[in-house]
C-alpha cells in the first residue's frame, strides 16, 4: 500500500531545507533576532575565562581579597546576563514557530483537498497523516533549536578558538588538532544518517496506515477473527521501525564518540603541555586557567554538533516528504472557454445538445498498466433534459467509474462530456459541482450535525425549509426522532447510524440543492424493501424535473427511470426502456432476474 518511497537520489540537505524559507519568511525578524541574542549570550559565556585570567594573575597572585570579591561579582553578573539572554531567545522563537508549523499544516491540508481523486487513490492515508503530524513537529523543532544552535555554536567555536590562539598559539594548535578528523566524521555521518532517517519516517507512515485501517475496519477485523494477524503485521512493522531507530542510535553513538573523545584528548594534551610551560615560567598561571576554561566552555558547542546535525538531517528528510505532497499538481482549472462553447451550442439543434452527452468517452485509471484495457471504452450516451436514465451492469463493469466522470472526480482519457452543450472541462470546477449533485454507494457522513451534513453542498442561505424537503424526499424523517433532532452529531465523532440511514442522509444531501443534474450511484442499495419503495415514490417527484443518471440493481429502482443503459465490459451495449431490454437483451434479463451478479455485490 505504501507507494511513495523516495528515490534516494543525491540531494543536499541545505538545498532541501532552503525550501522552508517562504514559510519562515514572515517570522524572519524574530528568528534572526533570536539567533543574534543566542550568539551574544554564548559570547558572554566566553568572557568568563578572561575575567578568571584577570583574577588569577591579578588579585589572587597579589593576595587582594577585595579584588577577588569584585571578580566574583563580575562573574555573577556575566552568568546572569547569559541566562537572561538565553531566556529572551526562547521567548522570541516559541510563538512565531508554532505559527509556522500551523501555517505549513494548514497549507498541506488545503493542498490535499485540492489534489485529484487519482492522487488519493495512489497514496496511503498513513503516509499523509504522518507528514502532517510527525514531520511537521520535527520541522518546528529544527527551526527552534538546531538551526539556531548550528549558527550559534559555529560562531562560539570560532570566537573561542581565536581567543585561545591569542592566549597561546602553540596550545591553540594542539586543541585544533582533532578538527579535521572530526569534520570528516561529520560528513560521512551526514550521508549515512540521511538514508536511515528517511527510512524511519517512511516506516512511521506505514505504521500509521496499519493503525488507521485497523481502527476504521475494526468490525471486519473482529468479524473475520483477524485481530491476531493484524497485531502481527503491526508488530512486524514496529520491529522494523525499531531496527531502523537502533541504526540511527548506533550512528549517533559513533559520531558522538568521535566528537567527544578527540577534543577531550586534545584538552588533556594541552593541559600537560601548558603545565610544563607554566613550570618553566614561559606562561602565566592565569593564561593557562583562561585557556583551559575557554576550551571547557567550547566542549558543549562541539559535543552538540553531532545531534544538531542529526536533527537537521531529519528535518531535511521531513521537508522532502512534506514537499513530495506539496509538489503534486492540484486539479487544474482549464482556461474558461465560455465564448467558443456557446457557438457550438447554437450551431447544433438544441434538443440534441441539451442534457448530459457522452461522446466517445474512454477512461483508464492513471495508475493502470499501459497494456490493460480501458475501464470505459468509447462510450456514447445521451440523457435528454429532464430524463432519468438508469445505468445497469454487472459488478466491475465500470458504473461507478462512469458516474465519477461527470463531476470530474477523474479526468477523461479521451472523448468529451457536455452538460447542456457545455464541455465539462471548460467550466470552472465550482460551477460544475454546483450543477451536478452526487450520492455514492458508500455514504460518508462527516463529524457534524445531521443538518450540516445534508446542507453541506448548498449555499449559506439554504435553511430549515430546504432541509425539511430533502429529508422528506429521502425518507430520512428518522432524523427528527434522533436525540437532538437534526442537530444530533453524527459521523465518526457522533452517533452511529445504520447503513440505510446513512444512505438516506447522503441522498438528502444530493437532492437538497435541487440540482440540474443528479448522479446517484446505487443510492438505495442498503434500504429495506419498504423504505426503498417510500424513497422511490418521493424520488419520482425530484426526478420529474432533473436530468438524472442512476446506477441501479433492482427492477424497482430501474422503473424510476425513463430509459435504461446497459454497461457491459466498459461499453454501452444497449439503451431502451426496461421492458424493451427485458425482452430483447439476455444479459439485461439475467441481471434483472434478481439472482444474478447484481445481488452478489452486496
Ligand atoms: N481507483 C481505481 N484505480 C484503478 N482501478 C480501479 C479503481 N476503481 C475501480 N477500478 C477498476 O475499474 C473497474 C470498474 O470499477 P467500478 O467502476 O467500481 O465498477 P462497478 O461500479 O460497475 O462495480 C474495476 O475493474 C475496478 O477494479
Ligand atoms: Mg460501483
Amino acid at each position: 500500500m505504501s507507494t511513495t518511497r523516495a528515490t534516494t537520489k543525491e540531494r543536499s540537505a541545505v538545498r532541501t531545507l532552503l525550501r522552508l524559507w517562504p514559510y519562515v519568511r514572515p517570522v524572519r525578524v524574530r528568528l534572526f533576532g533570536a539567533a543574534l541574542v543566542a550568539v551574544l549570550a554564548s559570547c558572554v559565556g566566553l568572557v568568563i575565562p578572561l575575567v578568571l585570567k584577570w583574577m588569577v594573575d591579578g588579585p589572587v597572585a597579589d593576595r587582594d581579597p577585595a579584588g577577588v570579591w569584585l571578580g566574583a561579582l563580575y562573574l555573577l553578573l556575566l552568568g546572569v546576563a547569559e541566562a537572561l539572554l538565553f531566556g529572551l531567545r526562547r521567548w522570541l522563537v516559541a510563538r512565531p514557530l508554532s505559527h509556522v508549523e500551523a501555517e505549513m499544516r494548514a497549507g498541506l491540508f488545503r493542498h490535499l483537498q485540492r489534489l485529484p481523486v487519482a492522487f488519493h487513490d495512489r497514496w496511503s492515508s498513513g503516509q499523509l497523516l504522518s507528514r502532517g503530524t510527525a514531520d511537521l513537529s520535527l520541522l518546528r523543532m529544527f527551526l527552534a533549536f538546531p538551526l539556531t544552535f548550528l549558527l550559534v555554536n559555529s560562531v562560539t567555536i570560532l570566537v573561542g578558538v581565536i581567543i585561545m590562539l591569542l592566549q597561546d598559539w602553540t596550545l591553540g594548535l594542539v586543541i585544533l588538532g582533532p578538527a579535521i578528523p572530526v569534520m570528516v566524521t561529520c560528513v560521512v555521518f551526514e550521508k549515512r544518517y540521511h538514508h536511515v532517517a528517511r527510512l524511519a519516517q517512511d516506516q512511521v507512515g506505514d505504521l500509521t496506515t496499519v493503525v488507521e485501517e485497523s481502527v476504521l475496519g475494526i468490525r471486519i477485523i473482529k468479524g473475520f477473527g483477524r485481530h491476531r494477524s493484524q497485531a502481527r503485521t503491526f508488530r512486524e512493522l514496529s520491529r522494523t521501525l525499531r531496527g531502523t531507530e537502533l541504526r540511527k542510535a548506533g550512528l549517533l553513538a559513533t559520531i558522538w564518540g568521535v566528537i567527544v573523545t578527540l577534543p577531550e584528548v586534545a584538552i588533556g594534551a594541552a593541559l600537560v603541555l601548558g603545565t610544563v610551560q607554566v613550570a618553566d615560567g614561559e606562561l602565566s598561571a592565569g593564561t593557562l586557567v583562561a585557556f583551559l576554561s575557554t576550551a571547557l566552555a567550547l566542549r558543549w558547542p562541539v559535543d552538540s554538533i553531532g545531534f544538531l546535525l542529526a536533527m537537521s538531517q531529519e528535518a531535511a528528510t521531513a521537508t522532502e516528504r512534506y514537499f513530495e505532497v506539496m509538489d503534486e499538481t492540484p486539479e487544474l482549472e482549464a482556461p474558461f472557454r465560455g465564448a467558443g462553447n456557446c457557438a457550438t451550442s447554437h450551431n447544433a439543434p438544441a434538443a440534441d445538445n441539451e442534457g448530459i452527452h457522452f461522446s466517445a468517452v474512454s477512461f483508464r485509471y492513471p495508475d493502470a498498466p499501459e497494456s490493460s484495457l480501458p475501464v470505459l471504452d468509447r462510450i456514447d450516451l445521451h440523457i435528454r433534459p429532464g430524463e432519468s436514465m438508469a445505468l445497469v451492469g454487472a459488478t466491475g463493469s465500470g458504473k461507478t467509474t462512469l458516474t465519477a466522470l461527470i463531476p470530474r472526480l477523474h479526468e477523461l482519457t479521451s472523448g468529451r462530456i457536455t452538460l447542456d452543450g457545455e464541455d465539462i472541462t471548460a467550466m470552472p470546477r465550482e460551477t460544475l459541482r454546483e450543477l451536478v449533485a452526487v450520492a455514492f454507494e458508500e455514504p460518508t457522513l462527516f463529524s457534524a450535525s445531521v443538518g450540516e451534513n445534508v446542507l453541506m453542498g448548498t449555499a449559506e442561505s439554504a435553511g430549515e425549509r430546504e432541509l425539511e424537503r430533502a429529508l422528506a424526499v429521502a425518507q430520512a424523517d428518522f432524523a427528527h426522532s434522533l436525540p437532538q433532532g437534526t442537530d444530533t452529531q453524527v459521523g465518526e465523532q457522533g452517533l452511529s447510524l445504520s447503513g440505510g440511514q446513512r444512505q438516506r442522509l447522503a441522498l438528502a444531501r444530493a437532492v437538497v440543492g435541487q440540482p440540474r443534474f443528479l448522479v446517484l450511484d446505487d443510492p438505495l442499495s442498503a434500504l429495506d424493501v419498504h423504505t426503498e419503495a417510500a424513497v422511490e415514490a418521493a424520488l419520482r417527484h425530484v426526478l420529474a424535473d432533473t436530468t438524472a443518471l442512476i446506477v441501479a440493481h433492482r427492477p424497482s429502482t430501474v422503473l424510476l427511470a425513463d430509459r435504461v443503459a446497459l454497461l457491459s465490459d466498459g461499453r454501452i451495449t444497449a439503451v431502451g426502456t426496461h421492458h424493451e431490454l427485458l425482452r430483447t437483451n439476455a444479459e439485461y434479463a439475467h441481471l434483472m432476474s434478481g439472482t444474478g451478479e447484481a445481488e452478489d455485490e452486496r
Side-chain angles (χ1 to χ4, degrees):
M1 283 225 82
S2 67
T3 40
T4 42
R5 284 286 121 76
T7 45
T8 18
K9 52 183 181 296
E10 275 308 310
R11 61 98 189 85
S12 110
V14 177
R15 192 152 353 113
T16 311
L17 287 170
L18 275 179
R19 297 199 63 189
L20 295 175
W21 178 242
Y23 295 95
V24 175
R25 227 184 100 85
V27 301
R28 63 189 184 281
V29 174
R30 272 201 167 209
L31 207 58
F32 285 139
L36 217 62
V37 168
V39 168
L40 203 63
S42 224
C43 291
V44 166
L46 286 179
V47 178
I48 293 180
L50 300 180
V51 176
L52 277 177
K53 174 183 175 168
W54 171 79
M55 276 171 74
V56 172
D57 285 345
V60 173
D62 303 342
R63 305 190 179 275
D64 163 23
V68 173
W69 279 112
L70 187 65
L73 183 67
Y74 286 154
L75 288 181
L76 183 69
L77 286 178
L78 283 172
V80 170
E82 192 183 351
L84 283 179
L85 283 172
F86 273 120
L88 176 65
R89 182 200 81 88
R90 234 168 218 286
W91 177 79
L92 275 174
V93 292
R95 190 191 289 265
L97 287 183
S98 52
H99 174 76
V100 170
E101 186 189 4
E103 277 300 304
M104 289 185 76
R105 187 167 285 138
L108 182 68
F109 186 76
R110 213 164 33 230
H111 194 68
L112 283 178
Q113 301 283 304
R114 290 176 53 218
L115 281 170
V117 176
F119 167 86
H120 290 279
D121 282 350
R122 210 166 68 239
W123 281 66
S124 71
S125 53
Q127 285 295 347
L128 300 178
L129 268 179
S130 62
R131 277 157 223 251
T133 51
D135 287 346
L136 285 184
S137 307
L138 256 175
L139 287 184
R140 176 176 46 89
M141 260 158 59
F142 165 73
L143 294 174
F145 198 64
L147 180 64
T148 317
F149 277 92
L150 277 175
L151 175 76
V152 172
N153 290 0
S154 308
V155 175
T156 313
I157 293 171
L158 195 69
V159 173
V161 165
I162 292 174
I163 290 180
M164 287 194 291
L165 283 173
L166 288 180
Q167 304 286 337
D168 186 303
W169 64 270
T170 37
L171 291 186
L173 288 183
V174 170
I175 289 278
L176 273 184
I180 292 181
V182 164
M183 275 190 236
V184 171
T185 320
C186 284
V187 171
V188 173
F189 164 81
E190 255 214 286
K191 277 224 170 64
R192 300 226 179 129
Y193 199 78
H194 165 242
H195 292 292
V196 201
R198 171 76 210 209
L199 201 60
Q201 282 160 2
D202 284 341
Q203 285 169 353
V204 168
D206 292 346
L207 208 62
T208 318
T209 306
V210 173
V211 173
E212 211 216 344
E213 283 182 351
S214 319
V215 172
L216 289 179
I218 190 68
R219 285 186 187 78
I220 296 168
I221 290 172
K222 282 190 186 297
F224 284 87
R226 299 296 293 175
H227 47 275
R228 275 218 187 77
S229 72
Q230 200 71 12
R232 201 173 324 118
T233 313
F234 182 84
R235 212 165 34 238
E236 266 155 29
L237 274 178
S238 77
R239 192 176 306 138
T240 321
L241 177 60
R242 177 168 161 266
T244 315
E245 288 293 344
L246 281 178
R247 266 169 69 199
K248 263 167 72 179
L251 277 174
L252 207 52
T254 313
I255 191 175
W256 194 284
V258 172
I259 283 184
V260 172
T261 313
L262 288 184
E264 212 79 359
V265 170
I267 291 179
L271 179 61
V272 173
L273 204 65
T275 320
V276 171
Q277 283 183 347
V278 173
D280 290 349
E282 288 164 22
L283 193 70
S284 77
T287 310
L288 182 61
V289 167
F291 186 89
L292 288 175
S293 36
T294 309
L296 291 178
L298 291 190
R299 249 166 57 169
W300 161 249
V302 172
D303 290 358
S304 60
I305 278 185
F307 82 77
L308 290 181
L309 283 182
M311 282 173 83
S312 311
Q313 233 0 294
E314 281 174 39
T317 44
T319 312
E320 208 174 82
R321 281 164 49 87
Y322 179 79
F323 282 105
E324 270 167 22
V325 177
M326 295 303 278
D327 289 345
E328 290 276 340
T329 336
E331 291 180 324
L332 287 178
E333 277 310 347
F336 192 62
R337 286 187 280 132
N341 246 50
C342 279
T344 50
S345 62
H346 288 306
N347 291 343
D352 228 38
N353 240 328
E354 281 175 357
I356 306 176
H357 224 124
F358 283 71
S359 354
V361 168
S362 294
F363 178 77
R364 180 202 304 278
Y365 280 100
D367 52 345
E370 283 295 322
S371 54
S372 66
L373 290 173
V375 177
L376 298 174
D377 188 15
R378 284 163 291 145
I379 300 277
D380 288 306
L381 189 64
H382 182 201
I383 307 166
R384 299 180 194 124
E387 184 182 41
S388 310
M389 171 87 77
L391 186 65
V392 173
T395 303
S397 56
K399 304 181 296 294
T400 298
T401 309
L402 189 145
T403 51
L405 294 180
I406 302 175
R408 268 182 90 188
L409 298 184
H410 293 291
E411 297 299 330
L412 304 188
T413 310
S414 63
R416 64 189 222 136
I417 300 176
T418 55
L419 297 181
D420 285 347
E422 190 165 355
D423 194 323
I424 56 168
T425 55
M427 301 182 200
R429 267 198 178 69
E430 223 168 292
T431 317
L432 173 65
R433 288 171 188 170
E434 261 164 38
L435 281 176
V436 181
V438 284
F440 299 106
E441 246 173 319
E442 198 45 62
T444 305
L445 295 183
F446 294 90
S447 295
S449 73
V450 169
E452 284 161 344
N453 263 292
V454 171
L455 291 171
M456 66 179 284
T458 55
E460 295 282 322
S461 57
E464 246 352 78
R465 270 226 346 260
E466 285 83 352
L467 179 62
E468 288 310 314
R469 198 191 59 90
L471 289 177
V473 168
Q475 293 292 302
D477 300 303
F478 71 87
H480 296 298
S481 28
L482 293 175
Q484 283 98 40
T486 55
D487 291 329
T488 310
Q489 293 288 314
V490 292
E492 214 180 321
Q493 285 166 24
L495 193 70
S496 294
L497 298 176
S498 78
Q501 288 174 322
R502 281 187 294 139
Q503 271 198 342
R504 277 179 278 164
L505 289 184
L507 189 60
R509 170 156 70 203
V511 299
V512 72
Q514 296 179 286
R516 269 255 286 297
F517 302 97
L518 190 61
V519 177
L520 306 176
D521 185 5
D522 208 8
L524 311 179
S525 60
L527 304 186
D528 62 82
V529 182
H530 300 294
T531 316
E532 190 196 346
V535 175
E536 275 162 6
L539 255 186
R540 215 175 277 281
H541 291 292
V542 178
L543 293 177
D545 32 60
T546 52
T547 308
L549 180 65
I550 308 166
V551 174
H553 281 123
R554 303 181 195 169
S556 54
T557 322
V558 171
L559 281 171
L560 280 175
D562 305 300
R563 289 190 302 158
V564 188
L566 178 63
L567 188 62
S568 179
D569 290 330
R571 303 223 51 178
I572 297 285
T573 51
V575 180
T577 65
H578 175 61
H579 295 289
E580 276 168 23
L581 292 191
L582 267 188
R583 258 186 294 118
T584 59
N585 192 300
E587 186 187 355
Y588 184 75
H590 175 67
L591 283 173
M592 283 295 125
S593 64
T595 54
E597 292 118 293
E599 293 296 310
D600 293 348
E601 193 165 340
R602 293 273 72 80

